[in-house]
Amino acid sequence: MKDDPTHTTNISLELVEAAQGFAAIGSEPRLEVLLALVRAGPGGLNVGDIQKRLDMPASTLTHHLRFLAAAGLIEQTKDGRSIRNLAAFERIEELAAYLLRECCVDQSGSTPVGGSHDHAR
Amino acid sequence: MKDDPTHTTNISLELVEAAQGFAAIGSEPRLEVLLALVRAGPGGLNVGDIQKRLDMPASTLTHHLRFLAAAGLIEQTKDGRSIRNLAAFERIEELAAYLLRECCVDQSGSTPVGGSHDHAR
DNA sequence: TTCATATTTCGATATTTCTAGAATTATCAA
DNA sequence: TTGATAATTCTAGAAATATCGAAATATGAA
């Protein structure tokens, strides 16, 4: 019982996914893109909007959006001839939760839940 | 009053520092190193210990430790002929807080605190 | 269809990061 | 001092990322 694939909303992220998520926001331009989307709220922003706000070449922006999407931090839906980008709040929260969960291990002195994450080696 | 250098415990991270922190844990080997330190607790681990646990060449490990230290995610103190590495729990929490703070902006519909982070452009 | 807009793909270059062996420095012990 | 241990620095090739202009693709409007 290491991970339950039947759950869509995963409670705990795997290390690999967490690392990918952190890498995605571990770049200033990408973090700025994500924050712009977060601030834009449920309506999101299309690529052109982001481009204007951050003054970034379209091809560069596409490159970064691909990273964010691959890490599950944004969702992209086609809307006419433009692409609507939405911040994936759940994933952001999962990343925060991952950090907090790991952070408190061994500090309070007890294992918080069940040994959910891969230890060993 | 944007940032108070007299405070050791900074309340809010700048975007640049946050991105650096996320980049530091945005690599599987580095995230594993940090988790090992977190699990080791207040005693920390020296480089050799980490090396054995993760089975990683010393020079590679040093490389990653430098990243983590630069991002403020670990603290290194000399202890005899070995180096004691400690997880910087505060910084980890700051990163989590950064995510949660940004995540909730515009979602609840109101600006949470004062416009603490750089908007605009 | 023709034109304009929105975005991606392509291609090319620059830079960074990853990895790890070899050499070096530092420290303690005998 | 000599020897062993701990860690870093040096070096370098491979791989990944970053940046961005130009060309291509897709869609909607006239």
Side-chain angles (χ1 to χ4, degrees):
Chain A
M1 197 201 337
K2 193 195 182 87
D3 194 22
D4 187 352
T6 61
H7 261 216
T8 307
T9 305
N10 220 327
I11 298 171
S12 71
L13 242 40
E14 294 290 333
L15 182 137
V16 175
E17 291 167 339
Q20 188 184 12
F22 292 132
I25 53 178
S27 131
E28 290 179 40
R30 281 198 295 272
L31 186 52
E32 286 185 291
V33 168
L34 184 63
L35 293 194
L37 293 179
V38 164
R39 287 168 191 147
L45 294 173
N46 60 37
V47 179
D49 290 336
I50 304 172
Q51 194 187 339
K52 283 167 209 148
R53 293 197 191 194
L54 304 185
D55 192 30
M56 189 182 288
S59 55
T60 301
L61 180 52
T62 295
H63 165 76
H64 289 307
L65 287 173
R66 182 153 37 202
F67 255 82
L68 290 168
L73 280 160
I74 66 171
E75 273 166 37
Q76 302 183 295
T77 56
K78 207 161 190 177
D79 177 23
R81 73 184 121 181
S82 61
I83 303 265
R84 183 163 300 277
N85 298 273
L86 295 173
F89 295 102
E90 272 184 29
R91 175 54 60 107
I92 297 175
E93 278 167 356
E94 282 172 358
L95 286 177
Y98 184 93
L99 275 183
L100 293 176
R101 188 170 57 247
E102 302 306 334
C103 179
C104 297
V105 176
D106 281 70
Q107 207 181 24
S108 57
S110 64
T111 313
V113 192
S116 54
H117 38 261
D118 54 324
H119 227 129
R121 189 188 299 251
Chain B
M1 191 187 13
K2 191 191 183 97
D3 194 21
D4 187 352
T6 62
H7 259 218
T8 308
T9 306
N10 218 326
I11 298 170
S12 71
L13 242 39
E14 294 290 333
L15 180 137
V16 174
E17 291 167 337
Q20 189 184 11
F22 292 132
I25 53 177
S27 130
E28 289 178 40
R30 281 199 295 271
L31 187 51
E32 286 184 292
V33 168
L34 185 63
L35 294 194
L37 293 179
V38 164
R39 287 168 192 146
L45 295 173
N46 60 36
V47 179
D49 291 336
I50 305 172
Q51 194 187 339
K52 284 166 208 145
R53 293 197 190 193
L54 303 185
D55 192 30
M56 190 182 288
S59 57
T60 302
L61 182 52
T62 295
H63 164 78
H64 289 307
L65 287 173
R66 183 153 36 201
F67 257 81
L68 289 168
L73 280 160
I74 67 171
E75 272 167 39
Q76 303 183 295
T77 57
K78 207 161 189 177
D79 177 23
R81 73 184 120 182
S82 60
I83 301 265
R84 183 162 300 277
N85 299 272
L86 295 173
F89 294 103
E90 274 183 26
R91 176 54 61 106
I92 298 175
E93 278 167 356
E94 283 172 357
L95 286 177
Y98 185 93
L99 274 183
L100 293 177
R101 189 170 56 247
E102 302 307 333
C103 179
C104 297
V105 176
D106 282 70
Q107 207 181 22
S108 58
S110 64
T111 314
V113 193
S116 55
H117 37 264
D118 54 322
H119 225 131
R121 191 188 301 251

